[in-house]
Structures are given as structure tokens and as C-alpha cells.
Amino acid sequence: MSTALKERICYVSRSDGRLYPGTDYRFAGDDGGLLDLEFEAAFPRELIAARPPGMWRDREALPVPKDEAIVSFGEGFTPLLPVEVAGTSVLVKQEQLFPSGSYKDRGASVLISHARSIGVERVVEDSSGNAGSAIAAYCARAGIACEIYVPEKTSPGKLAQIRSYGASLRLIPGSREDTAAAVRAEAARDASVSAWYASHSYNPFFFHGTKTFAFEVCEQLGWQAPDALILPAGNGTLLIGAALGFAELRRARVIDSIPAIYAVQAARCAPLARAHAAGLPSVTDASGVWLADAPRPAVRDETVAEGIAIATPVRGNQILEAVRESGGSFITVDEPEIRDAHRAMTRCGFCIEPTSAATIAAVPQVRSRLPGAARVVTLFSGHGLKAPEKLPG
Ligand SMILES: *Cc1c(COP(=O)(O)O)cnc(C)c1O
């Protein structure tokens, strides 16, 4: 790929294929359609092997042309450790070890690097937890002003980390959806003066950061794909990124097949698992708005796996598509299963948050569907000190 091409990275609309310059302050197409990036990744293995361990070693696969723009803490290349779960061994990527305590740093590093490369001075983002912390940390590192919108009811513990990075907090009354609407209104007010929406669910640069999870797993397995992945599915920030990453590796002929993706939802908030079971072709319109007849969770936000309690994920269609195309499926786990998995992992010395235990709780169900020798990869998504009051006693 020529440098000239790489320097003109474009957004491409999922609804009508229209292209928009990557320098635009936008998070959606003119028709409201969700955006992807037009970008081709390359994997020069000898160059990669000669670089320090970290997510930026896959340099030619990341859509940030200029090195000077990179905002990084030297993060990534987390260990991939065999862990015994319910009598079987799975490979668990230690994503709780990121600078802000979750894999969201992968997305934030690429997204905020892009923001710096196009001269953004102020970003807004909505999150009640780890995405907000990650964006706030990378903005602090980049010297970009940052404002995080959160639901008024968010627990004070979660706000402390965001505030400590110097971000300002906007507490919005009402639901999580009301917070999202408030931040979109702010970002859209007037593109020339208003803030850039550093969204982890809308902005495709975020997914081009989380895709490095796939590159690292592949390299750590000797440039081979595992047989199956067990991934969390709320907004799908890791799931969509991992699917993208493995698709890029296949397109570049590094691997010839992609792993089956098992997407995990808490039984108490499982809109996508229900849509999949019902064989629904789609759950949202082109703008990511949840369809009136798509399933909604009966009990909301009442799972201990709060990080994946997303009732109406904007990229729901993409998550369904990624899982179906991979030959995988959806798995639901109930509250006692999540709590047991959380305790089992902390008792083995892994300090993780309850949301991270959901994927671990799904291991026996996934194992029962696969041949015994299948190589299964999952992750610890967030650090236990994110929610110390929820650690097993
Ligand atoms: C963000 C996150 C997830 C996955 O959630 P998505 O909404 O699917 O992106 C899982 N665990 C933790 C700790 C997270 O922060």
C-alpha cells in the first residue's frame, strides 16, 4: 500500500457506501448511517517481530499514518496464559493489565491518536465506566480536553478514576440512552466550534484499536488462529474489533480461516442472544436505532456483569453478523454462574471485575460444543480494583 493512500483514510457509510474524509468531525454519515473505515492492513512479520512488545508493533495495520500522532503508554501485547476453568484449560488474554485497567485502552489509543492527528482540542464521550476512563487517560496523555457524560445514577467509585485524569464530568438525569442523546446533541451542535465525539460505539477508529487483540492472539499462537473465541457482547467493542482483526489477517493471507466467535451475554440482559435464537436478520436500523419489534431485556441493568448490560447496542446488527459469519453462537450465563466464576478466578490469583467473569462462566457451555482438542481463547477484560466492593469475600 502506498503512503499517499494511507494518508487519506476515509470513513465509509455502512448504509450507502458513501465516503467521508477521516478529518471530518463526524460520528455518522449525513443520513445518520453508521460508519466504518476504508483501510487495508498489512502484516510485515519481520518488521513486527523486531519491534517492542505492544499493540503498536502491528504498525502497518493501524490507521494512523504519522508516528508523531501516536498517543501511547506502551500498552498491549498482554500475556496469553493457560488457565484451568471448570476442569478444562483455556487460553486467557490478560486484558485487565492495561494502563487504565481494561482492554478499552486499545480502542482509546488509536482513537485519540487519530484525534491528535487531525488537531482535535476537545473531545466528548459518554460512558459509565471503563470506556470513559480509557478516553480520559489518553486525553490526559495527549493534552486534549475531555468531557465525559455519565448517567446521574453512576456510582461514585466509577467517577473517581475519570475525574482523577482531569476530565470534566457531566451528570445526566435519566437512563443510559438519555446520556447518549445528550452527548450527541453536544457533538452535533456546530461542527466548527463543538467537540469531537470520541465514541467507543460509533467511531470506527475505536474498533481499529480493539482489533489488535486479534493480531496479538494470532502472533502469540505462532501466527495461527485459535479454533474458538469466547468474547463479551454488550456494545461489542471487543467482539467487533476482534472479528475485524481476524478478517484483516485472513484478507492478508496470514491465516486461512477465522475462529468461531461465542458471544456472551448475561441472561438478565440478553437482547442479542434472544434475537439470534429467534433468527432475526437485524435488530437496528441503519443509524443504530433499536427496532420496535427487536427483543428488549425484561430486567435491565440488574446483572453483576454491569459492563455488558447494554439493552440496545447501536452496532447490534454487526455483532449478529460477526457471530453468524464465524460459525459461532451466543451463550447466556446467569448470576450464580457469573459469581462462581468470579470467585474461582480470584481464588487462582486473578484480580478481575465481575463483568470479566461472565466470559469465564461461559467456558463449560462452549467446551461442550467443541472437540476436546479445540484451542479456545478468552480474556479477562477488566481489573478487579475497578470495583473493589464487588470482589468475592
Ligand atoms: C467494555 C467492557 C466489556 C465489553 O463490553 P462491550 O459493551 O461489548 O464493549 C467487557 N468487560 C469489561 C470490563 C469492559 O470494560
Side-chain angles (χ1 to χ4, degrees):
M1 172 183 14
S2 79
T3 312
L5 255 182
K6 267 178 75 179
E7 287 183 2
R8 284 205 329 265
I9 288 158
C10 288
Y11 291 114
V12 53
S13 166
R14 291 181 67 80
S15 63
D16 60 6
R18 217 178 124 183
L19 296 178
Y20 301 95
T23 47
D24 277 11
Y25 279 27
R26 64 165 65 244
F27 60 89
D30 286 348
D31 62 349
L34 292 167
L35 301 175
D36 287 338
L37 289 187
E38 186 145 278
F39 177 71
E40 189 146 351
F43 302 91
R45 283 194 233 170
E46 282 178 17
L47 285 179
I48 293 169
R51 293 182 181 134
M55 62 174 268
W56 287 91
R57 72 202 256 108
D58 298 298
R59 188 69 191 88
E60 291 76 11
L62 295 173
V64 179
K66 296 202 174 80
D67 284 349
E68 314 83 80
I70 294 175
V71 183
S72 171
F73 294 96
E75 63 291 284
F77 222 76
T78 54
L80 182 64
L81 295 180
V83 176
E84 200 73 18
V85 178
T88 70
S89 182
V90 288
L91 292 164
V92 183
K93 205 143 160 63
Q94 308 290 304
E95 301 282 286
Q96 81 279 25
L97 301 180
F98 271 92
S100 84
S102 85
Y103 75 81
K104 297 289 194 314
D105 290 358
R106 293 186 187 277
S109 186
V110 169
L111 183 64
I112 300 306
S113 296
H114 175 68
R116 175 143 90 181
S117 75
I118 63 169
V120 169
E121 291 176 356
R122 175 173 166 251
V123 308
V124 290
E125 154 74 323
D126 54 321
S127 159
S128 56
N130 294 342
S133 289
I135 297 290
Y138 283 78
C139 282
R141 179 97 169 125
I144 294 175
C146 171
E147 195 167 12
I148 307 287
Y149 286 57
V150 295
E152 199 174 51
K153 298 186 293 277
T154 305
S155 64
K158 288 187 163 186
L159 305 180
Q161 185 181 12
I162 296 173
R163 204 181 275 122
S164 74
Y165 291 129
S168 44
L169 280 170
R170 285 279 283 273
L171 303 173
I172 308 296
S175 69
R176 179 70 184 83
E177 283 77 15
D178 294 329
T179 301
V183 77
R184 283 198 301 268
E186 170 68 10
R189 219 171 18 131
D190 175 354
S192 62
V193 295
S194 74
W196 194 71
Y197 184 19
S199 174
H200 62 289
S201 41
Y202 286 96
N203 197 304
F205 280 93
F206 197 90
F207 300 92
H208 280 258
T210 56
K211 74 182 181 182
T212 56
F213 175 87
F215 305 159
E216 292 176 18
V217 166
C218 184
E219 186 180 350
Q220 286 168 320
L221 295 177
W223 293 105
Q224 287 181 350
D227 298 301
L229 294 171
I230 308 178
L231 301 175
N235 273 315
T237 56
L238 182 65
L239 192 148
I240 292 169
L244 172 64
F246 279 106
E248 287 184 347
L249 287 162
R250 183 171 56 178
R251 195 177 150 80
R253 299 180 189 281
V254 176
I255 56 174
D256 34 58
S257 64
I258 58 169
I261 297 176
Y262 291 89
V264 181
Q265 299 208 292
R268 286 193 170 176
C269 186
L272 295 170
R274 286 171 54 204
H276 179 73
L280 290 187
S282 61
V283 286
T284 73
D285 68 12
S287 309
V289 176
W290 202 252
L291 300 176
D293 55 357
R296 282 172 190 267
V299 190
R300 277 196 52 189
D301 295 341
E302 289 186 24
T303 167
V304 64
E306 57 183 5
I308 50 170
I310 308 293
T312 58
V314 294
R315 290 187 186 259
N317 289 356
Q318 234 176 313
I319 298 173
L320 284 175
E321 242 173 68
V323 170
R324 286 171 181 163
E325 281 173 12
S326 77
S329 190
F330 282 83
I331 306 279
T332 58
V333 289
D334 62 26
E335 298 301 295
E337 287 173 314
I338 300 170
R339 284 180 208 283
D340 288 352
H342 195 205
R343 172 178 294 272
M345 290 302 102
T346 54
R347 290 295 191 263
C348 292
F350 297 107
C351 187
I352 59 172
E353 62 173 289
T355 302
S356 304
T359 41
I360 301 302
V363 167
Q365 290 188 62
V366 174
R367 271 284 179 217
S368 73
R369 298 175 185 212
L370 297 172
R375 268 207 291 203
V376 178
V377 168
T378 184
L379 74 150
F380 293 141
S381 53
H383 202 284
L385 294 178
K386 290 272 189 181
E389 73 286 355
K390 300 210 173 94
L391 288 170

